Amino acid sequence: MSSAHPAEPDPAEAATAPLWRAVQAFRLVTLLYAVGQQIASVRYYENQWLSWFFIALMVIWSGISALLLAQVHGPGTARIRPLVVLGDHLLVLGLIAATPLVADYAWYHGHQPLPTTMWSANAVISAAILRGPLAGVASGLLIAATIITMRQQWGEDVWADATAPVLVSVGLALGLAADTARRAQEQLQRAVRLTAATEERERLARQVHDGVLQILSYIKRRGTEIGGPAGELAQRAGEQEVALRRLISEQAAGRETGETTVDLRPLLTAHATPRVVVSTPGEPVRIGRWTAREIAAAVAAALTNVDLHAGPEARAYILLEDTGTELIVSVRDDGVGIAPGRLVEAEHEGRMGVSRSITGRIAALGGTAELLTAETVGEGTEWEFRIPRT
């Protein structure tokens, strides 16, 4: 079933279209040179009328092939170009082989074949653009071998003739240029698609944050305050809020697919709620992907402790600073604080949330995690993570 939307242009076609148009100018120049060579050499031919017939055939084909190869996009472009390139080769090889029909051995043994070497290079160029450097080199070798065979130069003369090196070099250079253009076009289209997908994810994340997450947070808070049957509703709302925040965070972490660094800011701003305020720099804070995820996980663990221990009315504040040499992440709340000796007591009881989820993660990054307001009840709690940028 046909789609209602137009198909996306083939990257290979879009990349090589300028090359196809440009080489047709070369085809015109070489055609003029071939006609000039015919005018200068026709008096030495044995069959002059036949030579003019071959030249007319070359002129007609040059016009047809130039129009077909130079078109940018159109129905059947991918199917027509290989046929035109094949026709190029058949005509070039046929004209080279027909040279003895219009001139004697003494002439063609020491001169260019009938279509001239320059005009023959059009077939090599077309093959290189169509299929890459290997096809270009193969085409150059084929045409050069045909010319050498026709001129009977397989002896020592072959090393003094520049035909083969020139044709092979042209095929190699244009083939590499075409392949480079195709790769660049594919990378450009991937970047465009990635940018569009990123913008769409950011739009959806804003909508989720502005609407759904705030409602879930409100239901969780009010249900907890009301208690009873509403407490279960609050618990379910809290679970869905956490799941949505994790999804947004993972989407933000996956934006730079194929890159080794990510922007830390979206991983932290995903935690923003009416009770959690996040402040980050205006410019991207790009760090290693694994480092960013570990920092975000430590921040999530600190916020979990706020939800569990700081009190129902506590608010949390996340601050990210980039000094150039290190990252400083602060997670502060205005809750009830931590009772003296509570952290040591929790660790002895086997509760390793703080030591493993927070300090352990930051230590693994070569940084430090310091609890600035520890042992102080009623003044809230503040974690400060310092991670070197190395």
Side-chain angles (χ1 to χ4, degrees):
M1 184 172 59
S2 61
S3 174
H5 301 282
E8 182 176 320
D10 185 1
E13 292 293 333
T16 57
L19 288 176
W20 285 117
R21 291 194 300 267
V23 298
Q24 302 321 310
F26 178 78
R27 184 183 293 269
L28 174 61
V29 172
T30 57
L31 176 63
L32 295 177
Y33 172 76
V35 172
Q37 182 70 15
Q38 165 70 11
I39 295 173
S41 304
V42 65
R43 62 180 180 272
Y44 301 108
Y45 292 160
E46 292 182 341
N47 195 334
Q48 298 182 5
W49 288 108
L50 184 60
S51 70
W52 281 113
F53 170 76
F54 288 148
I55 292 298
L57 184 63
M58 184 174 62
V59 171
I60 294 173
W61 174 253
S62 295
I64 295 174
S65 60
L67 291 176
L68 293 176
L69 292 176
Q71 63 176 339
V72 181
H73 299 295
T77 298
R79 177 173 49 86
I80 291 174
R81 281 178 178 164
L83 296 177
V84 176
V85 173
L86 177 62
D88 254 347
H89 283 77
L90 293 177
L91 183 61
V92 167
L93 296 176
L95 290 177
I96 293 173
T99 301
L101 298 178
V102 299
D104 57 17
Y105 175 80
W107 172 259
Y108 63 73
H109 181 73
H111 295 81
Q112 295 188 69
L114 185 62
T116 74
T117 303
M118 284 188 64
W119 193 85
S120 301
N122 286 288
V124 179
I125 294 174
S126 297
I129 297 177
L130 183 67
R131 291 291 183 260
L134 291 180
V137 171
S139 174
L141 290 174
L142 175 63
I143 293 176
T146 304
I147 293 175
I148 293 172
T149 301
M150 183 275 301
R151 295 173 64 182
Q152 301 180 19
Q153 288 183 326
W154 283 108
E156 295 182 357
D157 291 343
V158 69
W159 304 109
D161 193 344
T163 299
V166 168
L167 292 179
V168 170
S169 299
V170 168
L172 178 62
L174 267 296
L176 291 174
D179 277 1
T180 301
R182 292 187 185 96
R183 287 194 296 270
Q185 181 68 22
E186 291 173 357
Q187 292 173 357
L188 175 62
Q189 290 198 350
R190 283 198 298 269
V192 170
R193 288 193 294 268
L194 180 60
T195 300
T198 299
E199 292 176 352
E200 179 64 13
R201 282 195 293 266
E202 289 179 348
R203 184 185 66 83
L204 292 175
R206 287 194 299 269
Q207 291 182 348
V208 170
H209 177 266
D210 293 342
V212 179
L213 287 178
Q214 293 186 11
I215 293 299
L216 289 175
S217 178
Y218 175 76
I219 294 174
K220 175 186 175 182
R221 185 174 67 253
R222 290 293 296 158
T224 302
E225 294 172 354
I226 296 173
E232 182 180 355
L233 178 62
Q235 180 182 356
R236 300 301 182 189
E239 292 173 356
Q240 293 303 312
E241 180 186 3
V242 172
L244 279 176
R245 292 190 187 283
R246 184 181 298 112
L247 176 61
I248 295 174
S249 177
E250 291 174 353
Q251 290 294 328
R255 280 177 198 160
E256 294 84 358
T257 301
E259 297 186 13
T260 59
T261 62
V262 297
D263 187 0
L264 178 60
R265 299 177 304 165
L267 298 180
L268 301 184
T269 55
H271 295 291
T273 68
R275 294 178 55 201
V276 180
V277 179
V278 182
S279 299
T280 61
E283 297 296 326
V285 180
R286 301 191 68 84
I287 57 176
R289 186 184 298 275
W290 179 73
T291 301
R293 288 178 176 175
E294 289 298 289
I295 294 174
V299 170
L303 292 177
T304 299
N305 286 336
V306 172
D307 287 338
L308 294 176
H309 308 298
E313 300 298 328
R315 296 172 60 88
Y317 305 87
I318 302 174
L319 175 62
L320 171 62
E321 299 177 82
D322 185 1
T323 66
T325 58
E326 68 174 355
L327 300 177
I328 304 175
V329 182
S330 301
V331 182
R332 180 175 59 85
D333 67 75
D334 56 6
V336 298
I338 299 178
R342 181 55 188 153
L343 290 180
V344 177
E345 180 183 346
E347 188 171 350
H348 288 164
E349 292 174 354
R351 300 180 182 180
M352 309 299 290
V354 172
S355 61
R356 290 182 178 175
S357 298
I358 300 178
T359 58
R361 277 192 166 96
I362 301 302
L365 301 176
T368 60
E370 184 178 2
L371 188 59
L372 300 180
T373 55
E375 316 299 334
T376 302
V377 179
E379 296 184 4
T381 303
E382 181 177 2
W383 280 100
E384 183 178 85
F385 308 146
R386 290 181 175 267
I387 304 96
R389 260 199 167 279
T390 56

